[in-house]
Amino acid sequence: MKLVVFGANGPTGRQVTAQAVAEGHTVTAVTRRPAEFPLSDPRLRVAGADVLDPGAVARAVAGQDAVISTLGVPYSRQPVTVYSEGITHITRAMTEHGVRRLVCVSSTVLFGVPAPGETYFFRKVLEPLIARTMGRTVYEDMRRMEEIVLDGDHRWTVVRPAGLFDADTVSDYQVATSRLPGRFTARADLGNALLTEAVGDLHVGAFVDVRTTEGVPGILDVIRHEAFGGSK
């Protein structure tokens, strides 16, 4: 397939791109800093573009079979609009060029229900602190992004991972259309889930949780990383 990946130079975007190329797909990796992109392959084209530039987005989307958005920004007290503005430009470009399949990333927080089996402290103190204070502006814009996706007529899937961490290989991760138990998602697993959805049409029109169960880190390590410079 011909795939375009937005946010390709983020940790998850690089995972998606590398795995897609390894599976034999043709990939257009969209990044604002193409000179810094670490991957190369005959099946890979690196496109320098900003997702906030509708013309550049349209050029990247043209001729593709599916779009994968791994846009991500660190937590901030300032208003965040990258998710909603980016997906607006992406979906308009998809409509213009007749591209139907869209897979994008938000967060398990947006399920709006507690993780099964979680402790009282995590459910009532820690997760609300992250969702309503540390990451409030990010999650607000993720919600706006999801609403834009829902209002469109594309064949969409929104993947909602938990706390992200780095791992070397894809594990035997879990996938469900409701919130799963556990607190963490490896970026390798998230990248694999995004690619699998884009290629296989497994959960069209659904919100999908992805959860890693092997080799997960401590919760304070993940919070520290994601709150101070982490990204998708």
Side-chain angles (χ1 to χ4, degrees), residues 27-49:
V27 181
T28 297
V30 181
T31 172
R32 290 179 299 163
R33 297 177 293 275
E36 299 176 11
F37 197 70
L39 307 176
S40 63
D41 190 274
R43 291 182 294 272
L44 173 63
R45 178 173 74 93
V46 182

Side-chain angles (χ1 to χ4, degrees), residues 122-181:
F122 185 87
R123 288 186 291 108
K124 296 298 185 179
V125 179
L126 190 54
E127 188 168 77
L129 174 66
I130 295 170
R132 300 171 191 168
T133 304
M134 295 168 59
R136 180 180 60 82
T137 57
V138 166
Y139 295 125
E140 286 175 350
D141 199 43
M142 282 183 178
R143 180 69 73 186
R144 289 189 290 267
M145 177 189 71
E146 289 191 349
E147 290 170 354
I148 291 166
V149 171
L150 278 168
D151 286 342
D153 62 354
H154 301 96
R155 291 173 57 79
W156 60 268
T157 302
V158 176
V159 179
R160 290 170 163 176
L164 295 170
F165 71 99
D166 294 320
D168 294 332
T169 59
V170 176
S171 74
D172 186 19
Y173 60 89
Q174 295 181 323
V175 176
T177 54
S178 58
R179 191 166 186 182
L180 288 164

Side-chain angles (χ1 to χ4, degrees), residues 94-112:
M94 291 176 67
T95 298
E96 177 184 352
H97 292 287
V99 181
R100 297 284 296 145
R101 187 68 174 117
L102 170 65
V103 182
C104 58
V105 180
S106 65
S107 169
T108 191
V109 169
L110 273 64
F111 276 109

